[in-house]
Amino acid sequence: MAMILAAFPLRFVPTSLPRQRRLARYIATVGVLLIAAGAMAAPKLSLYTEEWPPMTFTSGKGTPDGMAVEVVNELLHRTGQSNSIAVVPWMRGYKLLLTRPNVMLFTVGRNAERERNMTLLGPIAMSSTVLLARSEDVLALQALGSDILKREVAAYQGSIFESTARNKGFSSTRETGSSEEGARMLLAKRVDLWVEGNIAVAQTLQRLGIAPDRVSRVMTLDSLDLYLAFSRGTDRNTILQWQTALRDMKKDGTFQAIHQRWFPGEPAPPQVVRIGLEP
């Protein structure tokens, strides 16, 4: 019996170790497959933007273009995704952002209401909300003081510019379907003022064939950072992947190079923050 007991470990060890190693490899393989399956199971992100040059617009070839589109395409490449970008009216894209999970809309200005309803990642650009008028009327409007708040303002419907004008006390806003419509209303003397993001003014006038000196700034209402906005219920890992990719873009200089091509001489926002809803 003693001889059998002494011999048993000698026979058990060489036959057991390979089995243990095979079991360990099996568990590791299953773990990798489960992780991969989880990544593959992440719902596809629907991407929307609007006509707001030079940030986002439809090119002459019928494809999305603009500074923010170039940034998003680079983020898609870095996260290994091939999602297409749809250029839609702002109100449609914003409604989808508020009502469906796994939607990303860009670019979006930050305010308290939006922080309660979406996850904002960025900033990818800095802008200002400016109040504009026909150049010949600027001095008279500036002389009005607080009475300027009674003048009618053209504002892109549902935009951060419209809400900023109202928050500053402008009591009469005329909603427009695009930035171009606001510029046309101003120059047709249908309104006295037009509120817009400063980075879009020159491009908007150029697209309409309007000389830039026909419109001038009355005042700056607010500064504005622009973000990528993810809807409530968007896959957490997807948002975190985009955050890492954007941080890497800013670290290696790719983001700054894109920003410089579209806004020569303007400072690119260096930080990356995630604010609003916790994914």
Side-chain angles (χ1 to χ4, degrees):
M1 174 68 78
M3 291 180 61
I4 294 174
L5 290 174
F8 178 76
L10 296 178
R11 292 195 302 271
F12 175 78
V13 171
T15 57
S16 174
L17 278 178
R19 186 177 302 130
Q20 290 176 344
R21 289 171 182 155
R22 287 197 299 271
L23 180 59
R25 286 198 297 268
Y26 172 77
I27 293 171
T29 301
V30 170
V32 170
L33 290 174
L34 287 174
I35 292 171
M40 289 188 293
K44 191 169 185 178
L45 196 62
S46 298
L47 308 180
Y48 298 98
T49 192
E50 59 168 332
E51 294 284 355
W52 195 54
M55 290 297 295
T56 54
F57 59 94
T58 304
S59 71
K61 298 179 180 179
T63 57
D65 201 357
M67 182 268 175
V69 171
E70 195 170 338
V71 169
V72 168
N73 281 331
E74 178 65 20
L75 290 169
L76 287 170
H77 172 72
R78 292 186 181 220
T79 55
Q81 300 173 49
S82 57
N83 315 45
S84 60
I85 299 170
V87 181
V88 299
W90 170 257
M91 290 301 292
R92 178 185 169 194
Y94 196 68
K95 182 178 180 180
L96 291 168
L97 180 70
L98 293 178
T99 58
R100 294 186 183 180
N102 299 298
V103 168
M104 196 275 279
L105 176 68
F106 65 104
T107 55
V108 174
R110 172 185 177 183
N111 63 21
E113 179 183 358
R114 292 175 178 182
E115 288 181 27
R116 290 192 295 269
N117 291 289
M118 61 195 71
T119 304
L120 299 168
L121 178 63
I124 63 167
M126 298 180 292
S127 180
S128 297
T129 301
V130 291
L131 194 66
L132 304 152
R134 297 176 294 275
S135 294
E136 63 270 19
D137 296 336
V138 168
L139 292 178
L141 289 166
Q142 290 173 333
L144 290 175
S146 61
D147 283 343
I148 197 174
L149 299 175
K150 301 174 184 177
R151 296 300 180 97
E152 203 165 30
V153 183
Y156 194 173
Q157 182 184 17
S159 69
I160 193 77
F161 314 118
E162 179 188 19
S163 61
T164 297
R166 290 181 177 176
N167 291 339
K168 294 294 182 180
F170 287 90
S171 56
S172 181
T173 57
R174 293 276 297 276
E175 294 180 341
T176 69
S178 65
S179 298
E180 287 88 348
E181 185 181 352
R184 285 194 295 263
M185 289 177 66
L186 176 68
L187 291 170
K189 299 188 177 181
R190 293 168 58 193
V191 294
D192 292 321
L193 298 163
W194 169 38
V195 64
E196 184 55 75
N198 70 312
I199 60 175
V201 174
Q203 189 84 12
T204 298
L205 296 175
Q206 182 181 4
R207 283 162 71 98
L208 293 172
I210 297 171
D213 59 359
R214 292 192 61 192
V215 174
S216 297
R217 182 176 62 86
V218 178
M219 65 179 73
T220 298
L221 299 182
D222 202 1
S223 60
L224 183 67
D225 288 342
L226 301 173
Y227 294 81
L228 311 177
F230 297 84
S231 63
R232 185 187 300 271
T234 296
D235 178 69
R236 173 179 172 81
N237 288 334
T238 298
I239 296 177
L240 296 181
Q241 285 175 354
W242 280 64
Q243 182 176 351
T244 298
L246 181 58
R247 184 179 291 116
D248 290 344
M249 280 183 66
K250 291 194 176 187
K251 282 182 179 179
D252 65 28
T254 304
F255 175 84
Q256 289 82 350
I258 294 172
H259 190 279
Q260 184 65 20
R261 281 199 297 275
W262 289 93
F263 305 119
E266 295 293 326
Q271 74 276 23
V272 175
V273 297
R274 191 183 75 243
I275 52 181
L277 286 179
E278 184 62 27

